[in-house]
Amino acid sequence: MNRLVLIGNGFDLAHNLRTSYENFLYWYWQKRFFNIHKESTNTSTDILCSMTTLKYESWRIYIQRCKLPNWSERDYFAKLCDKNNYSIKYSPFFERIYNSIGTLGWVDIENEYYNLLKKYALKDSSMSAVGELNAQLQYIQNLLVEYLKSIEISDRLLKTDIRQKIYAPIKKEDISIEGTNALKEHIKSGMNLSHEDLEYKLRCYGSNCYTQGYVDDYREQYKRKDSLMDPPIELLLPDKIMLVNFNYTRTAKLYLKEGEIFSVNQIHGSLEDPSSVIFGYGDELDKDYMTILDKNENKFLGNIKSIRYLEANNYRKILSFIESAPYQILIMGHSCGNSDRTLLNRLFEHKNCVSIKPYYYKKNERTDSYLELVENISRNFTDMNLMRDRVVNKSFCELLTQ
């Protein structure tokens, strides 16, 4: 039995990295506003918006005030949104993003892109509008890569509790009813490993933590009792672990030494190769997706993830992994939103999936994100009976990190 770990932006946030879309957009606004005073006019324009400031002298004073170190990002953003200080003309796409930040305090850029793309498809908008939308998404992607590259990621960020969760033995209570036999076969196959193969596997997990002696003792007990009750944790270790990193950063690579047993899959590309970055939307289950396909215009499909996946071999590696053996899914920091629904549906409903275990976070003293995460997970299923069997209930789930 294998393990597939889905890594989303919440994983980076759990390492205190400022990688959210909100962080990125605050950085963009600061970049725009602190550069405009260098220009010879009081108007600054890019593909997302055109901004006109107050007269230069007032603007210079305002800029100085914005540098006050005790302002939070949210306070800073509120000051910049004060219409007494500037006027802005937004593109339709960026206006959606701006309004989401201003009213909700968060934004899903890829979701806003897809909603506007659908609107253009349903209203038979001109291809020039679609072309402009795609150009704006590409522009944001380039800026996002620039921003994320400025964030330092080093080994000191590694959290022991997260590493323990990734390497942890499979828990019987996490496995679905339909997956019970698969777990039994996993235990039996572990007992049948040669001493050399078992020793190699345990060494990959850490020879100080696991020993072959417990397995030898269990083999003898099994011969006498023909029972799989209470196997040693050495027999519950996954055969292989793949981290599927939906982020562009390398944080996930801090946790696994890639090799025969462990691998990291940068499904959306990496900052080391900006041309590999996939930024867009992937929801073929959406009821309006066929409308987009029926437009018979490739501009509508330029940023659909399920098509972009064909530019690299990462998606195929995931397919090979899930076809090879039963697997458990751990969700670490991925919201399981609709922007990745095509891929997540394939992973969640596959015949070899025996468990989906979400790690959640605390919102405040009384609430957490477990139910919200499960609600999002459910949208990636077409069979609710499968969902209820495979998703691990809250009593067996944990916080991603303390």
Side-chain angles (χ1 to χ4, degrees):
M1 184 175 292
N2 298 329
R3 174 173 289 159
L4 202 63
V5 185
L6 307 186
I7 302 292
N9 187 55
F11 188 84
D12 279 359
L13 296 178
H15 292 79
N16 298 317
L17 297 175
R18 301 169 65 79
T19 56
S20 71
Y21 284 152
E22 297 95 290
N23 295 144
F24 159 63
L25 288 169
Y26 291 137
W27 169 83
Y28 164 78
W29 278 118
Q30 289 179 348
K31 189 180 179 71
R32 287 291 305 276
F33 278 84
F34 284 119
N35 283 338
I36 192 172
H37 74 287
K38 299 176 183 178
E39 301 180 13
S40 57
T41 67
N42 65 340
T43 298
S44 173
T45 301
D46 68 7
I47 196 173
L48 301 177
C49 65
S50 176
M51 178 173 61
T52 301
T53 72
L54 300 170
K55 62 182 181 180
Y56 177 78
E57 192 61 29
S58 298
W59 174 243
R60 183 180 61 80
I61 296 172
Y62 183 65
I63 285 288
Q64 292 172 347
R65 289 175 181 171
C66 286
K67 292 181 179 178
L68 289 174
N70 60 334
W71 283 16
S72 69
E73 278 187 337
R74 195 62 56 81
D75 291 337
Y76 176 74
F77 182 70
K79 294 293 183 183
L80 297 181
C81 290
D82 186 346
K83 293 183 179 179
N84 293 320
N85 296 310
Y86 66 89
S87 63
I88 295 183
K89 183 178 181 181
Y90 298 96
S91 70
F93 180 34
F94 200 58
E95 185 170 27
R96 284 172 170 265
I97 294 171
Y98 168 85
N99 287 337
S100 183
I101 285 285
T103 58
L104 301 177
W106 60 274
V107 66
D108 185 336
I109 293 176
E110 293 164 307
N111 189 56
E112 296 299 340
Y113 165 80
Y114 186 62
N115 286 337
L116 190 54
L117 187 72
K118 287 195 298 183
K119 180 179 178 181
Y120 288 163
L122 293 170
K123 290 191 172 183
D124 290 321
S125 298
S126 67
M127 285 302 99
S128 62
V130 178
E132 289 173 5
L133 175 61
N134 288 339
Q136 290 161 19
L137 186 71
Q138 181 63 51
Y139 183 74
I140 290 176
Q141 175 183 315
N142 294 341
L143 288 173
L144 181 61
V145 168
E146 178 186 348
Y147 171 67
L148 293 176
K149 278 186 171 183
S150 69
I151 298 175
E152 180 185 356
I153 296 176
S154 64
D155 291 344
R156 63 181 175 78
L157 294 175
L158 190 146
K159 290 181 175 288
T160 303
D161 58 332
I162 291 180
R163 187 180 188 279
Q164 290 172 342
K165 291 177 174 66
I166 292 173
Y167 281 75
I170 298 166
K171 296 180 179 179
K172 291 184 287 185
E173 58 266 26
D174 291 346
I175 302 302
S176 62
I177 300 300
E178 67 169 358
T180 302
N181 287 333
L183 180 59
K184 291 179 179 178
E185 290 303 315
H186 175 70
I187 296 170
K188 287 181 179 179
S189 66
M191 286 194 295
N192 293 329
L193 286 176
S194 68
H195 274 251
E196 292 76 13
D197 289 342
L198 181 58
E199 184 179 333
Y200 172 75
K201 178 179 178 179
L202 297 182
R203 191 163 60 246
C204 290
Y205 277 93
S207 57
N208 294 330
C209 302
Y210 306 106
T211 64
Q212 187 166 287
Y214 292 111
V215 177
D216 291 337
D217 292 343
Y218 188 75
R219 283 194 183 108
E220 293 302 316
Q221 293 177 23
Y222 179 75
K223 288 178 182 178
R224 295 195 301 269
K225 299 180 180 180
D226 191 26
S227 171
L228 289 175
M229 296 296 292
D230 300 322
I233 58 177
E234 284 80 0
L235 291 177
L236 294 172
L237 296 171
D239 292 325
K240 294 182 178 180
I241 300 177
M242 175 184 282
L243 300 190
V244 181
N245 189 11
F246 288 78
N247 303 328
Y248 310 116
T249 59
R250 56 180 292 272
T251 317
K253 292 186 177 182
L254 301 178
Y255 286 87
L256 288 183
K257 292 183 178 180
E258 296 190 63
E260 186 177 344
I261 288 183
F262 305 136
S263 61
V264 179
N265 189 315
Q266 293 280 144
I267 184 62
H268 285 166
S270 67
L271 299 177
E272 288 76 17
D273 179 14
S275 65
S276 70
V277 169
I278 295 176
F279 189 56
Y281 204 83
D283 184 9
E284 294 174 359
L285 300 181
D286 181 69
K287 61 183 177 63
D288 294 321
Y289 183 70
M290 285 305 300
T291 302
I292 291 176
L293 291 180
D294 289 343
K295 299 302 292 184
N296 196 29
E297 173 53 62
N298 289 343
K299 285 184 179 180
F300 280 100
L301 304 178
N303 293 299
I304 299 299
K305 289 179 179 177
S306 54
I307 295 175
R308 295 287 310 280
Y309 287 149
L310 297 175
E311 293 182 316
N313 198 36
N314 293 327
Y315 184 80
R316 192 173 185 85
K317 288 178 181 177
I318 295 176
L319 294 184
S320 177
F321 187 89
I322 66 176
E323 291 288 344
S324 64
Y327 61 91
Q328 175 193 41
I329 293 177
L330 304 185
I331 298 173
M332 293 188 168
H334 197 297
S335 68
C336 297
N338 288 359
S339 62
D340 291 310
R341 188 152 65 154
T342 300
L343 174 56
L344 296 182
N345 171 258
R346 184 72 182 271
L347 300 180
F348 292 171
E349 292 197 338
H350 193 279
K351 59 182 174 60
N352 281 339
C353 178
V354 298
S355 170
I356 301 171
K357 185 172 185 175
Y359 286 86
Y360 58 95
Y361 65 91
K362 284 188 73 69
K363 294 183 176 181
N364 51 51
E365 288 296 320
R366 293 182 294 178
T367 62
D368 58 57
S369 66
Y370 176 81
L371 278 182
E372 180 182 333
L373 183 51
V374 171
E375 289 165 352
N376 288 347
I377 290 172
S378 71
R379 294 189 184 95
N380 295 280
F381 277 88
T382 59
D383 185 335
M384 292 299 107
N385 289 322
L386 276 183
M387 186 274 293
R388 284 184 286 270
D389 187 25
R390 293 181 178 180
V391 176
V392 179
N393 66 61
K394 186 178 181 180
S395 60
F396 299 122
C397 291
E398 309 165 53
L399 295 170
L400 176 58
T401 181
Q402 299 298 327

